[in-house]
Coordinates of all heavy atoms in Angstrom, one line a residue:
D30 N 14.4 -8.2 18.8 CA 13.8 -7.0 18.2 C 12.9 -7.4 17.1 O 13.2 -8.0 16.1 CB 14.9 -6.1 17.6 CG 14.5 -4.9 16.8 OD1 13.4 -4.5 17.2 OD2 15.2 -4.4 15.9
Y31 N 11.6 -7.3 17.4 CA 10.6 -7.6 16.5 C 10.1 -6.6 15.4 O 9.4 -6.8 14.5 CB 9.3 -8.1 17.2 CG 9.6 -9.3 18.1 CD1 9.7 -9.2 19.4 CD2 9.7 -10.5 17.5 CE1 9.9 -10.3 20.2 CE2 9.9 -11.7 18.2 CZ 10.0 -11.5 19.6 OH 10.3 -12.7 20.4
G32 N 10.7 -5.4 15.5 CA 10.4 -4.3 14.7 C 10.5 -4.5 13.3 O 9.7 -4.2 12.4
K33 N 11.6 -5.3 12.9 CA 11.9 -5.6 11.5 C 10.8 -6.4 10.8 O 10.6 -6.4 9.6 CB 13.2 -6.2 11.3 CG 13.4 -7.5 12.0 CD 14.8 -8.1 11.9 CE 14.9 -9.4 12.7 NZ 16.3 -9.8 12.8
Y34 N 10.0 -7.2 11.7 CA 9.0 -8.1 11.2 C 7.8 -7.2 10.7 O 7.0 -7.7 10.0 CB 8.6 -9.1 12.1 CG 9.7 -10.1 12.4 CD1 10.4 -10.0 13.6 CD2 10.0 -11.1 11.5 CE1 11.5 -10.9 13.9 CE2 11.0 -12.0 11.8 CZ 11.8 -11.8 13.0 OH 12.8 -12.8 13.2
F35 N 7.6 -6.0 11.3 CA 6.5 -5.2 10.9 C 6.7 -4.2 9.9 O 5.9 -3.4 9.6 CB 6.0 -4.5 12.2 CG 5.5 -5.6 13.2 CD1 6.2 -5.9 14.4 CD2 4.3 -6.2 13.0 CE1 5.8 -6.8 15.3 CE2 3.9 -7.2 14.0 CZ 4.6 -7.5 15.0
L36 N 8.0 -4.2 9.3 CA 8.3 -3.1 8.3 C 8.5 -3.8 7.0 O 9.4 -3.5 6.2 CB 9.6 -2.4 8.7 CG 9.3 -1.4 9.8 CD1 10.6 -0.7 10.2 CD2 8.3 -0.4 9.4
N37 N 7.8 -4.9 6.7 CA 7.8 -5.4 5.4 C 7.0 -4.6 4.4 O 5.9 -4.0 4.8 CB 7.2 -6.8 5.4 CG 7.2 -7.7 4.2 OD1 6.9 -7.2 3.2 ND2 7.8 -8.8 4.3
T38 N 7.5 -4.4 3.2 CA 6.9 -3.6 2.2 C 5.4 -3.9 2.0 O 4.6 -3.0 1.6 CB 7.6 -3.7 0.9 OG1 9.1 -3.4 1.1 CG2 7.2 -2.7 -0.2
M39 N 5.0 -5.1 2.2 CA 3.6 -5.5 1.9 C 2.7 -5.3 3.0 O 1.5 -5.6 2.9 CB 3.6 -7.0 1.5 CG 4.5 -7.3 0.3 SD 4.5 -9.0 -0.1 CE 5.6 -9.7 1.2
Y40 N 3.1 -4.8 4.2 CA 2.2 -4.6 5.3 C 1.7 -3.2 5.3 O 2.2 -2.2 4.9 CB 3.1 -4.9 6.6 CG 3.6 -6.2 6.7 CD1 4.5 -6.5 7.7 CD2 3.0 -7.4 6.1 CE1 5.1 -7.8 7.9 CE2 3.5 -8.7 6.3 CZ 4.5 -8.8 7.3 OH 5.0 -10.1 7.4
L41 N 0.5 -3.2 6.0 CA -0.2 -1.9 6.1 C 0.6 -1.0 7.0 O 0.5 0.3 6.9 CB -1.6 -2.1 6.7 CG -2.6 -2.6 5.7 CD1 -3.9 -3.0 6.4 CD2 -2.9 -1.7 4.5
T42 N 1.3 -1.5 8.0 CA 2.1 -0.7 8.9 C 3.2 0.0 8.1 O 3.5 1.1 8.4 CB 2.8 -1.6 10.0 OG1 3.5 -2.7 9.4 CG2 1.8 -2.1 11.0
T43 N 3.8 -0.7 7.1 CA 4.8 0.0 6.3 C 4.2 1.2 5.5 O 4.8 2.2 5.3 CB 5.5 -1.0 5.4 OG1 6.0 -2.0 6.2 CG2 6.6 -0.3 4.6
F44 N 3.0 0.9 5.0 CA 2.3 2.0 4.2 C 2.1 3.2 5.1 O 2.4 4.3 4.7 CB 1.0 1.4 3.7 CG 0.3 2.5 2.8 CD1 0.6 2.5 1.4 CD2 -0.7 3.3 3.4 CE1 0.0 3.5 0.7 CE2 -1.3 4.3 2.6 CZ -1.0 4.3 1.2
S45 N 1.6 2.9 6.3 CA 1.4 4.1 7.2 C 2.7 4.8 7.6 O 2.7 6.0 7.8 CB 0.6 3.6 8.5 OG 1.4 2.7 9.3
K46 N 3.8 4.0 7.8 CA 5.1 4.6 8.0 C 5.5 5.6 6.8 O 6.0 6.6 7.0 CB 6.2 3.5 8.2 CG 7.5 4.0 8.3 CD 7.8 4.6 9.6 CE 9.4 4.9 9.6 NZ 9.7 5.8 10.7
N47 N 5.3 5.0 5.6 CA 5.6 5.8 4.4 C 4.7 7.1 4.3 O 5.0 8.0 3.6 CB 5.4 5.0 3.2 CG 6.6 4.1 3.0 OD1 7.7 4.5 3.0 ND2 6.4 2.8 2.9
L48 N 3.4 7.2 4.9 CA 2.6 8.3 4.9 C 3.4 9.5 5.5 O 3.0 10.6 5.2 CB 1.3 8.0 5.6 CG 0.3 7.3 4.9 CD1 -0.9 7.0 5.8 CD2 -0.1 8.0 3.6
E49 N 4.3 9.2 6.4 CA 5.0 10.4 7.0 C 5.8 11.2 5.9 O 6.0 12.3 6.1 CB 6.0 9.9 8.0 CG 5.3 9.2 9.2 CD 6.3 8.5 10.1 OE1 7.6 8.7 10.0 OE2 5.9 7.9 11.1
N50 N 6.2 10.5 4.8 CA 6.8 11.1 3.7 C 5.9 11.9 2.8 O 6.3 12.6 1.9 CB 7.6 10.2 2.9 CG 8.7 9.5 3.7 OD1 9.3 10.1 4.6 ND2 9.1 8.3 3.4
G51 N 4.6 11.7 3.0 CA 3.6 12.4 2.2 C 3.0 11.5 1.1 O 3.7 10.6 0.6
I52 N 1.8 11.8 0.7 CA 1.2 11.0 -0.4 C 1.6 11.7 -1.7 O 1.5 12.9 -1.9 CB -0.4 11.1 -0.3 CG1 -0.8 10.4 1.0 CG2 -1.1 10.5 -1.5 CD1 -2.2 10.5 1.3
L53 N 2.1 10.9 -2.6 CA 2.6 11.3 -3.9 C 1.4 11.5 -4.9 O 1.4 12.5 -5.7 CB 3.5 10.3 -4.6 CG 4.9 10.1 -4.0 CD1 5.6 9.0 -4.8 CD2 5.6 11.4 -4.1
E54 N 0.4 10.6 -4.7 CA -0.7 10.7 -5.7 C -2.0 10.2 -4.9 O -1.9 9.1 -4.2 CB -0.3 9.8 -6.9 CG -1.4 9.8 -8.0 CD -0.9 9.0 -9.1 OE1 -0.5 7.8 -8.9 OE2 -1.0 9.5 -10.3
S55 N -3.1 10.8 -5.2 CA -4.4 10.3 -4.8 C -5.4 10.5 -5.8 O -5.5 11.7 -6.3 CB -4.7 10.8 -3.4 OG -5.0 12.2 -3.4
Y56 N -6.3 9.6 -6.0 CA -7.4 9.8 -7.0 C -8.5 8.8 -6.8 O -8.3 7.9 -6.0 CB -6.8 9.8 -8.4 CG -6.2 8.4 -8.8 CD1 -6.9 7.4 -9.4 CD2 -4.8 8.3 -8.6 CE1 -6.3 6.3 -9.8 CE2 -4.2 7.0 -9.0 CZ -5.0 6.1 -9.6 OH -4.4 4.9 -9.9
E57 N -9.6 9.1 -7.3 CA -10.8 8.2 -7.2 C -11.1 7.6 -8.6 O -11.0 8.2 -9.6 CB -12.0 9.0 -6.7 CG -11.8 9.5 -5.3 CD -12.9 10.3 -4.8 OE1 -14.1 10.2 -5.4 OE2 -12.8 11.0 -3.8
E58 N -11.4 6.3 -8.5 CA -11.7 5.5 -9.7 C -12.6 4.4 -9.4 O -12.3 3.6 -8.5 CB -10.3 5.0 -10.3 CG -10.5 4.3 -11.6 CD -9.1 3.9 -12.1 OE1 -8.4 4.7 -12.7 OE2 -8.7 2.6 -11.9
N59 N -13.7 4.3 -10.1 CA -14.6 3.2 -9.9 C -15.0 2.9 -8.4 O -14.9 1.8 -7.9 CB -14.1 1.9 -10.6 CG -13.8 2.0 -11.9 OD1 -14.5 2.7 -12.7 ND2 -12.7 1.3 -12.4
E60 N -15.5 4.0 -7.8 CA -15.9 3.9 -6.4 C -14.8 3.5 -5.4 O -15.0 2.9 -4.4 CB -17.1 2.9 -6.2 CG -18.3 3.4 -7.0 CD -18.9 4.7 -6.5 OE1 -18.8 4.9 -5.3 OE2 -19.3 5.5 -7.4
E61 N -13.5 3.7 -5.8 CA -12.4 3.4 -5.0 C -11.5 4.6 -4.9 O -11.5 5.5 -5.7 CB -11.5 2.3 -5.6 CG -12.2 0.9 -5.8 CD -11.4 -0.1 -6.4 OE1 -10.6 0.2 -7.2 OE2 -11.6 -1.3 -6.1
L62 N -10.8 4.7 -3.7 CA -9.8 5.7 -3.4 C -8.5 5.1 -3.5 O -8.2 4.1 -2.9 CB -10.0 6.3 -2.0 CG -9.1 7.3 -1.5 CD1 -8.9 8.6 -2.4 CD2 -9.3 7.7 -0.1
I63 N -7.6 5.6 -4.2 CA -6.3 5.1 -4.4 C -5.2 6.1 -4.0 O -5.2 7.2 -4.4 CB -6.1 4.7 -6.0 CG1 -7.2 3.7 -6.4 CG2 -4.7 4.2 -6.2 CD1 -7.3 3.5 -7.8
L64 N -4.4 5.6 -3.1 CA -3.4 6.4 -2.5 C -2.0 5.8 -2.9 O -1.8 4.6 -2.7 CB -3.4 6.5 -1.0 CG -4.7 7.0 -0.4 CD1 -4.8 6.9 1.1 CD2 -5.0 8.4 -0.9
T65 N -1.0 6.6 -3.3 CA 0.3 6.1 -3.6 C 1.3 6.8 -2.8 O 1.3 8.1 -2.7 CB 0.6 6.3 -5.1 OG1 -0.4 5.6 -5.9 CG2 2.0 5.7 -5.5
V66 N 2.2 6.1 -2.2 CA 3.3 6.7 -1.5 C 4.6 6.2 -2.0 O 4.7 5.1 -2.6 CB 3.2 6.5 0.0 CG1 2.0 7.1 0.7 CG2 3.3 5.0 0.4
K67 N 5.6 6.9 -1.8 CA 7.0 6.5 -2.1 C 7.6 5.7 -1.0 O 7.5 6.1 0.2 CB 7.9 7.6 -2.4 CG 9.2 7.2 -3.0 CD 10.0 8.5 -3.5 CE 11.4 8.0 -4.1 NZ 12.1 9.2 -4.6
N68 N 8.1 4.5 -1.2 CA 8.7 3.6 -0.2 C 9.9 4.3 0.4 O 10.8 4.8 -0.3 CB 9.1 2.3 -0.8 CG 9.5 1.2 0.2 OD1 9.5 1.5 1.4 ND2 9.7 0.0 -0.2
F69 N 10.0 4.4 1.7 CA 11.1 5.0 2.4 C 12.4 4.3 2.2 O 13.5 4.9 2.4 CB 10.8 5.3 3.9 CG 10.7 4.1 4.7 CD1 11.8 3.6 5.4 CD2 9.5 3.5 4.9 CE1 11.7 2.4 6.2 CE2 9.3 2.4 5.7 CZ 10.5 1.8 6.3
E70 N 12.3 3.0 2.0 CA 13.5 2.2 1.7 C 13.8 2.4 0.2 O 13.0 2.4 -0.7 CB 13.1 0.7 1.9 CG 12.9 0.4 3.3 CD 12.6 -1.0 3.6 OE1 12.5 -1.8 2.6 OE2 12.4 -1.4 4.7
N71 N 15.0 2.7 -0.1 CA 15.5 3.0 -1.5 C 15.6 1.5 -2.2 O 16.7 1.1 -2.3 CB 16.8 3.7 -1.5 CG 17.0 4.3 -2.9 OD1 16.1 4.3 -3.7 ND2 18.2 4.8 -3.1
N72 N 14.5 1.1 -2.7 CA 14.4 -0.2 -3.3 C 13.9 -0.1 -4.7 O 12.7 0.3 -4.9 CB 13.5 -1.1 -2.4 CG 13.4 -2.6 -3.0 OD1 13.6 -2.8 -4.1 ND2 13.0 -3.4 -2.1
T73 N 14.7 -0.5 -5.7 CA 14.2 -0.4 -7.1 C 13.0 -1.2 -7.4 O 12.1 -0.8 -8.2 CB 15.3 -0.9 -8.1 OG1 16.5 -0.1 -7.8 CG2 15.0 -0.7 -9.6
Y74 N 12.8 -2.4 -6.8 CA 11.7 -3.3 -7.1 C 10.5 -2.9 -6.2 O 9.5 -3.6 -6.4 CB 12.1 -4.7 -7.0 CG 13.2 -5.0 -7.9 CD1 14.5 -5.1 -7.5 CD2 13.0 -5.1 -9.3 CE1 15.6 -5.4 -8.4 CE2 14.0 -5.4 -10.2 CZ 15.3 -5.5 -9.7 OH 16.4 -5.7 -10.6
G75 N 10.6 -2.1 -5.2 CA 9.5 -1.7 -4.4 C 9.5 -0.2 -4.1 O 9.4 0.2 -3.0
K76 N 9.6 0.5 -5.2 CA 9.9 1.9 -5.0 C 8.5 2.6 -4.6 O 8.6 3.7 -3.9 CB 10.3 2.6 -6.3 CG 10.8 4.0 -6.2 CD 11.7 4.4 -7.4 CE 12.3 5.7 -7.2 NZ 13.4 5.8 -6.4
Y77 N 7.4 2.2 -5.0 CA 6.1 2.8 -4.7 C 5.1 1.8 -4.1 O 5.2 0.6 -4.4 CB 5.5 3.3 -5.9 CG 6.3 4.4 -6.7 CD1 7.1 4.0 -7.8 CD2 6.3 5.6 -6.2 CE1 7.9 4.9 -8.4 CE2 7.1 6.7 -6.9 CZ 8.0 6.2 -8.0 OH 8.7 7.1 -8.6
I78 N 4.3 2.3 -3.2 CA 3.3 1.4 -2.5 C 2.0 2.0 -2.8 O 1.8 3.2 -2.5 CB 3.5 1.2 -1.1 CG1 5.0 0.6 -0.8 CG2 2.5 0.2 -0.5 CD1 5.4 0.6 0.6
Q79 N 1.0 1.3 -3.3 CA -0.3 1.9 -3.6 C -1.3 1.1 -2.9 O -1.4 -0.2 -2.9 CB -0.5 1.7 -5.2 CG -1.8 2.4 -5.7 CD -1.9 2.3 -7.2 OE1 -2.2 1.3 -7.7 NE2 -1.6 3.5 -7.8
L80 N -2.1 1.8 -2.1 CA -3.2 1.2 -1.3 C -4.6 1.7 -1.9 O -4.8 2.9 -2.1 CB -3.1 1.6 0.1 CG -4.1 1.0 1.1 CD1 -4.0 -0.5 1.1 CD2 -3.8 1.6 2.5
T81 N -5.4 0.7 -2.1 CA -6.8 1.0 -2.7 C -7.8 0.7 -1.7 O -7.8 -0.3 -1.1 CB -7.0 0.1 -3.9 OG1 -6.0 0.3 -5.0 CG2 -8.3 0.4 -4.6
F82 N -8.7 1.7 -1.5 CA -9.8 1.6 -0.5 C -11.2 1.6 -1.3 O -11.3 2.2 -2.2 CB -9.9 2.8 0.5 CG -8.8 2.8 1.5 CD1 -7.6 3.5 1.2 CD2 -8.9 2.2 2.6 CE1 -6.6 3.6 2.2 CE2 -8.0 2.2 3.6 CZ -6.8 2.9 3.3
D83 N -12.1 0.8 -0.7 CA -13.5 0.8 -1.2 C -14.1 2.0 -0.5 O -14.1 2.1 0.8 CB -14.2 -0.5 -0.8 CG -15.6 -0.5 -1.2 OD1 -16.4 0.5 -0.9 OD2 -16.1 -1.5 -1.8
K84 N -14.6 3.0 -1.2 CA -15.1 4.3 -0.7 C -16.3 4.0 0.1 O -16.5 4.6 1.2 CB -15.4 5.3 -1.8 CG -14.1 5.9 -2.3 CD -14.5 6.9 -3.5 CE -15.5 7.9 -3.1 NZ -15.8 8.8 -4.2
K85 N -17.2 3.1 -0.3 CA -18.4 2.9 0.4 C -18.3 2.1 1.6 O -18.8 2.5 2.7 CB -19.4 2.1 -0.6 CG -20.7 1.8 0.0 CD -21.6 1.0 -1.0 CE -22.9 0.6 -0.3 NZ -23.7 -0.2 -1.2
E86 N -17.4 1.1 1.6 CA -17.2 0.3 2.8 C -16.1 0.8 3.7 O -15.9 0.4 4.9 CB -16.8 -1.1 2.5 CG -17.9 -1.9 1.6 CD -19.1 -2.2 2.5 OE1 -19.0 -2.5 3.7 OE2 -20.2 -2.1 1.9
K87 N -15.3 1.7 3.1 CA -14.2 2.3 3.9 C -13.2 1.3 4.4 O -12.7 1.3 5.5 CB -14.6 3.2 5.0 CG -15.4 4.4 4.5 CD -15.9 5.3 5.7 CE -16.5 6.5 5.3 NZ -17.6 6.6 4.4
R88 N -12.9 0.4 3.5 CA -12.0 -0.8 3.9 C -11.0 -0.8 2.7 O -11.2 -0.6 1.6 CB -12.7 -2.1 3.9 CG -13.7 -2.2 5.1 CD -14.3 -3.5 5.2 NE -15.1 -3.6 6.4 CZ -15.5 -4.8 6.9 NH1 -15.1 -5.9 6.4 NH2 -16.2 -4.7 8.0
P89 N -9.7 -1.4 3.1 CA -8.7 -1.6 2.1 C -9.2 -2.7 1.2 O -9.7 -3.8 1.6 CB -7.5 -1.9 2.8 CG -7.9 -2.3 4.2 CD -9.3 -1.6 4.4
V90 N -8.9 -2.6 -0.1 CA -9.2 -3.6 -1.1 C -8.0 -4.3 -1.5 O -8.0 -5.6 -1.6 CB -9.9 -3.0 -2.3 CG1 -10.1 -4.0 -3.4 CG2 -11.2 -2.2 -2.0
K91 N -6.9 -3.6 -1.8 CA -5.6 -4.3 -2.1 C -4.5 -3.3 -1.9 O -4.7 -2.1 -1.8 CB -5.7 -4.7 -3.6 CG -5.7 -3.5 -4.6 CD -5.8 -4.0 -6.0 CE -6.1 -2.9 -7.0 NZ -6.1 -3.3 -8.3
I92 N -3.3 -3.9 -1.8 CA -2.0 -3.1 -1.7 C -1.2 -3.7 -2.8 O -1.0 -4.9 -3.1 CB -1.4 -3.2 -0.3 CG1 -0.3 -2.2 -0.1 CG2 -1.1 -4.6 0.1 CD1 0.1 -2.0 1.3
E93 N -0.6 -2.7 -3.5 CA 0.3 -3.1 -4.6 C 1.7 -2.5 -4.3 O 1.8 -1.3 -4.0 CB -0.2 -2.6 -5.9 CG -1.5 -3.3 -6.3 CD -2.0 -2.7 -7.6 OE1 -1.6 -3.1 -8.7 OE2 -2.8 -1.8 -7.5
V94 N 2.8 -3.3 -4.6 CA 4.1 -2.8 -4.5 C 4.6 -2.6 -6.0 O 4.3 -3.6 -6.8 CB 5.0 -3.7 -3.8 CG1 6.4 -3.2 -3.8 CG2 4.6 -3.9 -2.4
K95 N 5.0 -1.5 -6.3 CA 5.4 -1.2 -7.8 C 6.8 -0.8 -7.9 O 7.4 -0.2 -7.0 CB 4.5 0.0 -8.3 CG 3.0 -0.3 -8.3 CD 2.2 0.7 -8.8 CE 0.7 0.3 -8.9 NZ 0.2 0.0 -10.1
D96 N 7.4 -1.2 -9.0 CA 8.9 -0.8 -9.2 C 9.0 0.6 -9.7 O 8.0 1.4 -9.8 CB 9.5 -1.9 -10.3 CG 8.8 -1.8 -11.7 OD1 8.1 -0.7 -11.9 OD2 9.1 -2.6 -12.5
K97 N 10.2 0.9 -10.1 CA 10.5 2.3 -10.5 C 9.8 2.8 -11.7 O 9.6 4.0 -11.9 CB 12.0 2.5 -10.6 CG 12.6 1.7 -11.9 CD 14.1 1.9 -12.0 CE 14.6 1.2 -13.1 NZ 16.0 1.3 -13.3
N98 N 9.3 1.9 -12.5 CA 8.5 2.2 -13.7 C 7.0 2.2 -13.4 O 6.2 2.2 -14.3 CB 8.8 1.3 -14.9 CG 10.2 1.4 -15.2 OD1 10.8 2.5 -15.4 ND2 10.9 0.2 -15.4
K99 N 6.6 2.0 -12.1 CA 5.3 1.9 -11.7 C 4.5 0.6 -12.2 O 3.3 0.7 -12.3 CB 4.5 3.2 -11.9 CG 5.0 4.3 -11.1 CD 4.0 5.4 -11.1 CE 4.6 6.5 -10.1 NZ 3.6 7.7 -10.1
K100 N 5.3 -0.4 -12.5 CA 4.7 -1.6 -12.8 C 4.5 -2.5 -11.6 O 5.4 -2.6 -10.8 CB 5.6 -2.4 -13.9 CG 5.7 -1.7 -15.2 CD 6.6 -2.5 -16.1 CE 5.8 -3.7 -16.6 NZ 6.6 -4.4 -17.6
T101 N 3.4 -3.2 -11.4 CA 3.1 -3.9 -10.2 C 4.1 -5.2 -10.1 O 4.1 -5.9 -11.0 CB 1.7 -4.4 -10.1 OG1 0.8 -3.2 -10.2 CG2 1.3 -5.2 -8.9
T102 N 4.7 -5.3 -9.0 CA 5.6 -6.5 -8.7 C 4.9 -7.4 -7.8 O 5.1 -8.6 -7.8 CB 7.0 -6.0 -8.2 OG1 6.8 -5.2 -7.0 CG2 7.7 -5.2 -9.3
I103 N 4.1 -6.8 -6.8 CA 3.4 -7.6 -5.8 C 2.1 -7.0 -5.6 O 1.9 -5.8 -5.6 CB 4.2 -7.6 -4.4 CG1 5.5 -8.2 -4.6 CG2 3.3 -8.4 -3.4 CD1 6.4 -8.0 -3.3
C104 N 1.0 -7.9 -5.5 CA -0.4 -7.4 -5.2 C -1.0 -8.3 -4.3 O -1.0 -9.6 -4.4 CB -1.2 -7.5 -6.6 SG -2.9 -6.8 -6.4
I105 N -1.5 -7.7 -3.2 CA -2.2 -8.5 -2.2 C -3.7 -8.0 -2.1 O -3.9 -6.8 -2.0 CB -1.6 -8.3 -0.8 CG1 -0.1 -8.8 -0.8 CG2 -2.4 -8.9 0.3 CD1 0.6 -8.6 0.5
L106 N -4.6 -8.9 -2.3 CA -6.0 -8.6 -2.2 C -6.5 -8.8 -0.9 O -6.3 -9.9 -0.3 CB -6.8 -9.4 -3.3 CG -6.4 -9.1 -4.8 CD1 -7.1 -10.1 -5.7 CD2 -6.6 -7.7 -5.2
Y107 N -7.2 -7.9 -0.3 CA -7.9 -8.1 1.0 C -9.3 -8.5 0.8 O -10.2 -7.7 0.5 CB -7.8 -6.8 1.8 CG -6.4 -6.4 2.1 CD1 -5.9 -5.2 1.5 CD2 -5.6 -7.0 3.0 CE1 -4.5 -4.9 1.7 CE2 -4.3 -6.6 3.3 CZ -3.8 -5.6 2.7 OH -2.5 -5.2 3.0
T108 N -9.5 -9.8 0.8 CA -10.9 -10.3 0.5 C -11.7 -10.5 1.7 O -12.9 -10.6 1.7 CB -10.7 -11.6 -0.3 OG1 -10.0 -12.5 0.5 CG2 -10.1 -11.4 -1.7
D109 N -11.1 -10.8 2.9 CA -11.8 -11.0 4.1 C -11.1 -10.3 5.3 O -10.3 -10.8 5.8 CB -11.9 -12.5 4.4 CG -12.8 -12.9 5.5 OD1 -13.7 -12.0 5.8 OD2 -12.7 -13.9 6.1
I110 N -11.6 -9.2 5.6 CA -11.1 -8.4 6.7 C -12.2 -8.1 7.8 O -13.3 -7.7 7.4 CB -10.6 -7.0 6.2 CG1 -9.5 -7.2 5.2 CG2 -10.1 -6.1 7.3 CD1 -9.0 -6.0 4.5
E111 N -11.9 -8.5 9.0 CA -12.8 -8.2 10.1 C -12.2 -7.1 10.9 O -11.0 -7.1 11.3 CB -13.0 -9.4 10.9 CG -13.7 -10.5 10.2 CD -14.0 -11.7 11.1 OE1 -14.0 -11.6 12.3 OE2 -14.2 -12.8 10.5
I112 N -12.9 -6.1 11.2 CA -12.5 -5.0 12.0 C -13.3 -5.1 13.3 O -14.5 -5.0 13.3 CB -12.6 -3.6 11.3 CG1 -11.8 -3.6 10.1 CG2 -12.3 -2.5 12.2 CD1 -12.0 -2.4 9.1
N113 N -12.6 -5.1 14.5 CA -13.3 -5.2 15.7 C -13.4 -3.8 16.3 O -12.5 -3.0 16.3 CB -12.6 -6.2 16.7 CG -12.7 -7.6 16.1 OD1 -13.6 -7.9 15.5 ND2 -11.7 -8.3 16.4

């Protein structure tokens, strides 16, 4: 069963799974679109997942996992993404 490998909190697939629960917050800041969802896994250290898009390029810039106080615990920057 490989499914568990694709449901890591830091993956875009997990973010899209959490979209089923609805977006908690969305706003624009500095030419970026920021979406926040609540993690479907009840995890204190990964309660929220925030995905930031570059509005002009329409590409993900970073994904952040935040704790229950919305402090960033993990941040992954997408610096080189190729879309075929």
Side-chain angles (χ1 to χ4, degrees):
D30 180 24
Y31 296 105
K33 63 184 175 187
Y34 295 102
F35 297 105
L36 287 177
N37 186 303
T38 305
M39 299 177 288
Y40 295 163
L41 289 173
T42 52
T43 303
F44 184 85
S45 63
K46 172 82 173 155
N47 283 303
L48 279 175
E49 294 173 7
N50 298 329
I52 296 172
L53 289 179
E54 182 179 50
S55 66
Y56 58 95
E57 297 179 15
E58 182 178 281
N59 299 327
E60 299 299 319
E61 296 178 332
L62 172 64
I63 301 165
L64 305 174
T65 303
V66 296
K67 188 172 182 181
N68 191 356
F69 67 90
E70 297 176 355
N71 195 10
N72 182 337
T73 302
Y74 300 103
K76 191 162 185 83
Y77 303 98
I78 303 171
Q79 188 174 73
L80 183 59
T81 303
F82 288 93
D83 180 307
K84 284 178 46 179
K85 182 179 176 185
E86 299 292 324
K87 296 181 174 51
R88 292 184 177 200
V90 174
K91 66 182 172 181
I92 190 165
E93 296 177 83
V94 178
K95 298 182 178 253
D96 66 12
K97 64 181 180 179
N98 299 316
K99 295 195 175 181
K100 293 180 74 178
T101 301
T102 57
I103 299 169
C104 179
I105 297 174
L106 299 174
Y107 296 107
T108 56
D109 187 23
I110 299 174
E111 293 183 22
I112 300 174
N113 295 328

